[in-house]
Amino acid sequence: MFKYITRRMFWSIVTLFTILILLFLLLQFLPGTPFNDEKLSETSKALLNAKYGLDQPFFSRFGIYMKNILTEFDFGISLSIQRNWMVKNIVLPRLGISIRIGLQALALGTSMGIVLGVLSASKKNTWVDTLATLIAIIGVSIPSYVFALLLSYVFGFRIPIFSIIFNFNDPIKSSILPTIALSMFVMAQVTRFLRTELIEVLGSDYIRLVEAKGVSKFKVIYRHGLRNALISVITILGPLTVTLLTGSLVVEKVYAVPGIGSLLVNGILTNDYNVIVMIAFVYSALYITMNLFVDILYGIIDPRIRVAKGA
Amino acid sequence: MKKLLLLILASLLFVGCSATPTPSESKKVLRVAFGGDVLSLDSTVATDGVSFEVLTAFTEGLVEYDENDATLPGSGAAESWDVSDDGLEYVFHLKKDAVWSNGDPVTAKDFVFAWRRLVDPALANEYSLMAQNAKLVNADAVIAGTLPVDQLGVVAVDDFTLKVSLESPVPWFIPLMTFPSFFPMNEKFVTAAGANYATGPDFLLSNSAFVLTSWVQGSQIVLAKNDKYYDADKVAIDGIEISIIADPQTVKLQYDQGNLDVAAMSGDLVTSYVGTADFVPIRKGYTWFMPFNQKSKNAAVLNENFRLALAWAFDRDFIVDEKLNDGSIVADGFVPRGLASSVDGVDFRDAAPKYFGYDAKKALAYWEAAKAELGVTKVTFELLVGTPGDDSGLAAGAPEYIKAEVEKNLPGVTVEIKTVLKKERLDLMKPARAEYDVALTRWGPDYADPLTYLQDLLVTGSNYNYNNWSDATYDAMVQDVAPGGVLSTDPDARWAKLVEIEAYALNTAIVVPLWQTGSAMVIKPNVKGIEYHVLGMTNYKRATID
């Protein structure tokens, strides 16, 4: 197991740096410059490019950048979003908010998804199943922008129990609507996967044996059925984190959450290369970590996977 | 399982009801929504409107606009000033009772320090160009690094006397001093803060009506009344709370729920407020116009009759009323309304004629003439536009409307709309590339004089001559009214000449002015006294909340 994890971590790091190189290369093709003011003279542009090192050749810039990241965890200074600020001082405070809302959404979405999935599988072909499936379909098909606006209109404006925008002084309560909005897609996916898997598991021979032994239906589902069915849910948790990251771009805008989603969009629009690189780095790192985590979780849930890979 | 579900729902409701915020009714705090975040609160680094608005709320420059757009002695940090007869030297006498929020007096040295910082080549500040616009002695050389910063034409004669020297007379120098790039900075404080300067309330000083108390990036900026401000007894509100909300729908919900006092509205959302006491249209100085690239390979764009045909072929009123509906007005000329007035106080637009309109017959006649001259029956040209939303102020649907009307009224003309990001549009348009036929673009004034349009956009060799137009007669006329020109010290003759210059350019339709931007604000009826300016920043000093 240890050897397996070490090997996986090594490849994760290699992947991460490959992404950085590709990203650095792609940014060369981003139209415009951070100094987009049409009223800027050529002398001033040259001065600015020199000051921020943009006049250097590609490889030397990449080298300096890598060295600073590796030795000092320094992602450089912002070129336009908050000019002259250390990028990490801009990104890190916002990252906390985005990750928190993301994790809340993941936890809420997964647990609601499990509840709905179990309900619909155990009451297959009843009105409970239809309702749960309907919720899941709605969750997958409604764009998060529409759902987020609808939530803030209903529970922020018509029935004002929650605040319409994220409020720093009340981060728990004001993050509830964004969390729900973001969790919809997760919930829907988990419900759909779990339902299919659980129905299959519940129809298998060993479950029928357990049932024949007279074990209660509750125990059959939780002790014997769910544990097997959950593996399929864990498989999709990795890809789901990505949808959470992209979904947060929209949800953060609607609820005015000062997270990194909006920062990334601004970074791209204003050519703030250093901000783009750091956020992309963080996104990639999160995704890779999540996948690693999922792989380890397999082992814990299903001993067969652990044994096979450990060998 | 049902129990668990109920438990989750119940806990959600519980959290929902537990911490209800109690709005403080006793404090008169103005709650304002901004669409974007501040980019820098260092006045020498800032280049964007949002940063300038916030900077202006807590910093006082030499002069300020009053409610009538006038810049009078005593309106800012300068009590009075003297101007030399040749217009090359300004001596400002500063108020002696003005202090920074740390108690230090505001002195002439604070201005010298800030201005030198603005042009310091080591700092490479974008808006050092403002020092060039102001024609400060040696500004060009200092920025280029050929002279040290202390050679810039600004000196502190004593603590309360600031002497500014110009290379040529600048008729709009005093209004220019309202611009945030010319704000003072306390040297001792800035030096002590080092790299942290302007990163938060602890690293900023105020010398104006409000002081920054909190800044959560991307979320909220809070300003409180500055008790150390010399005119503090005239400030009627306790503070300003700025929420940064990018989504217009969310802004509307927040405003309607009573969580905001002031917000800008756009597009369809404006409609529900028109006719209510909350609706306040604000005029801005941006002119949207159509430039015609004279380096284009498309011969039609070089033809005067073709340009005139386009100018008369669509209804600008329709764009303003139906597509914008936010307080924007039709641009009757290139120089916007409210930018500059004659010595008698007559607005430039009232002194000059109205140009162009919607007249399908006239347009067709010009088109027939153009066809004969060009020897063609069909013309296809590219209309370069930015992406609505990204290209702020561009009326969504305006390009499509222009295309439809032009193709209907000028049979044989095909308009190909090319949509790109704003930064890309500007890149394609810049004289060094000039890869376009016709575009929709805007220009904001840099100073209170028609030349900010007539010279900077149309004179041969200007960096912003997007038309790549070159006309010796026009250049010579502009030369006469420019700083140092033969008419630069005769305001009346200069004014008449400026009207003539605009006429010369527009009669050839080298640019077709479209609309002058406005902004539809919604303001709660109990809030009064916020001053919006065409050129200057919003002034909250005299705001009241009943």
Side-chain angles (χ1 to χ4, degrees):
Chain A
M1 188 73 184
F2 177 75
K3 214 170 154 189
Y4 169 66
I5 294 176
T6 329
R7 201 173 57 222
R8 282 297 315 266
M9 280 178 87
F10 169 75
W11 282 112
S12 299
I13 291 167
V14 172
T15 318
L16 199 54
F17 281 94
T18 316
I19 291 171
L20 268 186
I21 296 172
L22 280 175
L23 192 72
F24 225 84
L25 209 82
L26 284 175
L27 283 180
Q28 307 300 308
F29 302 106
L30 193 64
T33 80
F35 317 115
N36 281 320
D37 197 301
E38 56 186 317
K39 299 179 183 179
L40 214 53
S41 70
E42 290 306 316
T43 329
S44 301
K45 270 187 194 161
L47 272 174
L48 281 159
N49 281 331
K51 180 181 173 192
Y52 294 99
L54 297 176
D55 55 343
Q56 301 287 318
F58 174 75
F59 284 106
S60 109
R61 268 193 294 147
F62 186 69
I64 295 168
Y65 201 76
M66 276 300 153
K67 195 190 114 219
N68 289 344
I69 292 178
L70 292 175
T71 55
E72 299 160 51
F73 194 64
D74 176 5
F75 284 83
I77 55 175
S78 165
L79 306 172
S80 48
I81 286 186
Q82 220 99 73
R83 181 165 293 169
N84 297 346
W85 285 35
M86 298 283 285
V87 168
K88 61 180 173 194
N89 292 345
I90 301 172
V91 174
L92 291 179
R94 295 182 176 224
L95 182 64
I97 302 163
S98 285
I99 288 188
R100 222 196 50 216
I101 294 181
L103 285 180
Q104 279 172 209
L106 196 63
L108 181 70
T110 319
S111 37
M112 295 289 283
I114 291 175
V115 171
L116 284 177
V118 168
L119 276 178
S120 94
S122 57
K123 314 256 187 212
K124 196 172 74 171
N125 299 334
T126 65
W127 64 271
V128 180
D129 183 23
T130 317
L131 185 70
T133 314
L134 191 72
I135 296 176
I137 290 172
I138 291 174
V140 182
S141 37
I142 294 189
S144 48
Y145 180 73
V146 176
F147 189 69
L149 263 183
L150 191 75
L151 270 183
S152 76
Y153 180 72
V154 176
F155 295 106
F157 186 69
R158 299 305 308 203
I159 317 165
I161 15 180
F162 300 112
S163 92
I164 295 171
I165 60 167
F166 180 80
N167 179 354
F168 239 84
N169 302 320
D170 189 8
I172 295 178
K173 192 187 158 195
S174 64
S175 72
I176 291 176
L177 287 187
T179 303
I180 297 176
L182 206 52
S183 69
M184 269 306 272
F185 189 77
V186 179
M187 184 206 70
Q189 292 287 34
V190 170
T191 307
R192 286 174 54 227
F193 269 82
L194 190 63
R195 180 183 180 273
T196 320
E197 193 70 17
L198 197 56
I199 287 174
E200 201 183 311
V201 170
L202 289 180
S204 60
D205 290 345
Y206 75 92
I207 292 286
R208 280 158 72 190
L209 175 72
V210 175
E211 276 172 347
K213 275 165 66 183
V215 177
S216 72
K217 182 147 195 205
F218 185 83
K219 264 195 175 167
V220 170
I221 292 175
Y222 291 96
R223 185 161 296 168
H224 304 281
L226 192 57
R227 190 157 174 182
N228 276 306
L230 270 184
I231 295 173
S232 73
V233 173
I234 289 166
T235 329
I236 58 165
L237 280 187
L240 273 181
T241 7
V242 182
T243 41
L244 276 181
L245 296 176
T246 47
S248 70
L249 304 188
V250 171
V251 172
E252 282 179 8
K253 189 176 175 222
V254 171
Y255 295 100
V257 179
I260 50 173
S262 47
L263 202 60
L264 179 62
V265 175
N266 281 342
I268 294 169
L269 285 177
T270 59
N271 290 53
D272 204 330
Y273 306 121
N274 295 346
V275 169
I276 303 175
V277 171
M278 176 157 186
I279 296 179
F281 179 85
V282 168
Y283 272 171
S284 316
L286 280 177
Y287 182 52
I288 290 170
T289 315
M290 195 63 203
N291 271 334
L292 187 67
F293 180 68
V294 164
D295 278 0
I296 296 168
L297 259 189
Y298 281 149
I300 295 170
I301 293 198
D302 189 343
R304 284 171 302 182
I305 295 173
R306 184 170 51 208
V307 171
K309 284 192 177 166
Chain B
M1 203 70 248
K2 279 177 193 159
K3 276 183 196 155
L4 182 63
L5 183 65
L6 278 174
L7 199 69
I8 294 171
L9 284 174
S11 61
L12 279 178
L13 281 176
F14 174 73
V15 181
C17 303
S18 58
T20 317
T22 45
S24 51
E25 296 294 335
S26 52
K27 288 246 172 191
K28 288 185 173 177
V29 175
L30 193 67
R31 298 159 307 168
V32 185
F34 278 10
D37 200 2
V38 158
L39 304 189
S40 176
L41 287 182
D42 180 332
S43 57
T44 59
V45 174
T47 56
D48 66 295
V50 175
S51 306
F52 286 154
E53 292 269 299
V54 178
L55 272 164
T56 307
F58 69 84
T59 326
E60 193 171 81
L62 288 169
V63 283
E64 281 186 0
Y65 283 105
D66 66 8
E67 62 266 42
N68 303 317
D69 278 330
T71 43
L72 303 176
S75 56
E79 187 73 67
S80 63
W81 55 79
D82 312 310
V83 190
S84 65
D85 290 338
D86 57 6
L88 293 178
E89 197 176 280
Y90 286 74
V91 177
F92 292 93
H93 306 285
L94 304 188
K95 288 176 181 168
K96 295 193 171 69
D97 51 352
V99 290
W100 291 100
S101 45
N102 66 352
D104 291 354
V106 178
T107 67
K109 290 192 188 83
D110 298 333
F111 286 91
V112 175
F113 172 71
W115 293 16
R116 284 181 182 168
R117 200 175 141 93
L118 180 69
V119 296
D120 191 339
L123 300 173
N125 288 315
E126 268 190 67
Y127 267 35
S128 57
L129 63 91
M130 293 309 292
Q132 292 169 304
N133 282 343
K135 305 281 176 213
L136 296 185
V137 163
N138 293 333
D140 294 341
V142 172
I143 291 167
T146 49
L147 277 179
V149 285
D150 59 12
Q151 293 301 301
L152 186 72
V154 57
V155 286
V157 177
D158 59 47
D159 272 359
F160 298 103
T161 313
L162 182 75
K163 194 174 91 179
V164 183
S165 313
L166 309 186
E167 282 173 351
S168 48
V170 178
W172 54 87
F173 184 77
I174 291 295
L176 192 59
M177 290 299 105
T178 61
F179 203 79
S181 302
F182 297 107
F183 283 172
M185 277 181 182
N186 182 318
E187 177 169 8
K188 197 179 74 188
F189 184 85
V190 174
T191 314
N196 286 326
Y197 181 69
T199 55
D202 296 341
F203 302 108
L204 276 166
L205 284 183
S206 155
N207 69 331
S208 191
F210 303 97
V211 56
L212 185 76
T213 54
S214 143
W215 175 18
V216 181
Q217 282 173 61
S219 180
Q220 198 187 45
I221 297 155
V222 184
L223 299 143
K225 182 176 169 177
N226 178 10
D227 293 326
K228 294 206 173 77
Y229 180 52
Y230 61 86
D231 249 356
D233 53 334
K234 289 187 189 141
V235 179
I237 57 173
D238 297 308
I240 309 170
E241 198 180 285
I242 299 164
S243 303
I244 296 149
I245 311 173
D247 192 274
Q249 299 275 0
T250 307
V251 173
K252 181 175 161 49
L253 288 182
Q254 277 288 79
Y255 183 83
D256 290 348
Q257 200 174 56
N259 295 332
L260 289 171
D261 299 311
V262 183
M265 288 285 160
S266 57
D268 297 340
L269 297 178
V270 175
T271 325
S272 60
Y273 301 100
V274 176
T276 68
D278 299 46
F279 180 69
V280 183
I282 305 296
R283 199 189 294 139
K284 302 271 183 188
Y286 283 99
T287 299
W288 276 86
F289 63 98
M290 251 194 219
F292 294 85
N293 178 18
Q294 299 304 295
K295 274 191 194 160
S296 164
K297 291 188 181 68
N298 193 334
V301 178
L302 314 184
N303 183 284
E304 185 175 314
N305 281 316
F306 179 74
R307 297 195 300 260
L308 285 164
L310 279 186
W312 291 93
F314 57 91
D315 187 2
R316 296 175 296 170
D317 279 301
F318 181 83
I319 298 177
V320 166
D321 296 338
E322 302 296 326
K323 301 287 176 191
L324 285 156
N325 190 20
D326 60 357
S328 297
I329 55 171
V330 166
D332 293 325
F334 201 25
V335 177
R337 181 170 288 279
L339 173 74
S341 314
S342 68
V343 271
D344 320 318
V346 178
D347 191 276
F348 187 83
R349 283 268 56 85
D350 294 324
K354 285 183 172 25
Y355 294 92
F356 311 126
Y358 179 45
D359 189 333
K361 268 191 201 152
K362 219 171 191 173
L364 195 61
Y366 280 123
W367 171 224
E368 294 301 333
K371 279 199 283 194
E373 282 170 14
L374 292 163
V376 295
T377 53
K378 284 191 169 95
V379 162
T380 301
F381 72 90
E382 173 203 286
L383 180 64
L384 179 68
V385 301
T387 316
D390 168 49
D391 208 345
S392 60
L394 174 63
E400 291 75 14
Y401 168 75
I402 292 173
K403 174 184 162 74
E405 288 296 297
V406 165
E407 290 177 355
K408 184 183 80 188
N409 292 324
L410 311 177
V413 175
T414 310
V415 184
E416 286 175 352
I417 298 174
K418 178 176 173 183
T419 310
V420 295
L421 282 178
K422 181 185 176 183
K423 60 185 179 186
E424 209 178 336
R425 172 174 72 69
L426 289 175
D427 201 45
L428 289 168
M429 285 174 62
K430 70 182 179 194
R433 286 188 72 175
E435 293 166 29
Y436 78 104
D437 293 339
V438 183
L440 296 189
T441 189
R442 68 170 199 179
W443 185 256
D446 292 319
Y447 44 87
D449 191 85
L451 284 185
T452 192
Y453 288 84
L454 300 176
Q455 181 176 42
D456 299 357
L457 287 159
L458 293 175
V459 160
T460 307
S462 164
N463 286 333
Y464 323 112
N465 188 339
Y466 297 121
N467 294 83
N468 298 296
W469 188 48
S470 182
D471 185 305
T473 317
Y474 185 83
D475 292 352
M477 288 200 293
V478 171
Q479 184 95 57
D480 290 346
V481 294
V486 287
L487 296 176
S488 66
T489 46
D490 181 351
D492 288 320
R494 180 175 184 271
W495 195 250
K497 190 76 176 179
L498 283 165
V499 174
E500 214 180 292
I501 291 170
E502 190 194 45
Y504 186 92
L506 292 187
N507 287 339
T508 72
I510 194 64
V511 289
V512 175
L514 299 171
W515 66 86
Q516 180 178 350
T517 52
S519 171
M521 303 296 297
V522 286
I523 301 176
K524 293 283 179 205
N526 64 336
V527 174
K528 301 265 181 326
I530 304 176
E531 291 166 17
Y532 295 93
H533 301 286
V534 166
L535 198 56
M537 306 306 145
T538 309
N539 191 334
Y540 296 99
K541 271 181 189 171
R542 289 177 278 273
T544 58
I545 304 175
D546 295 334

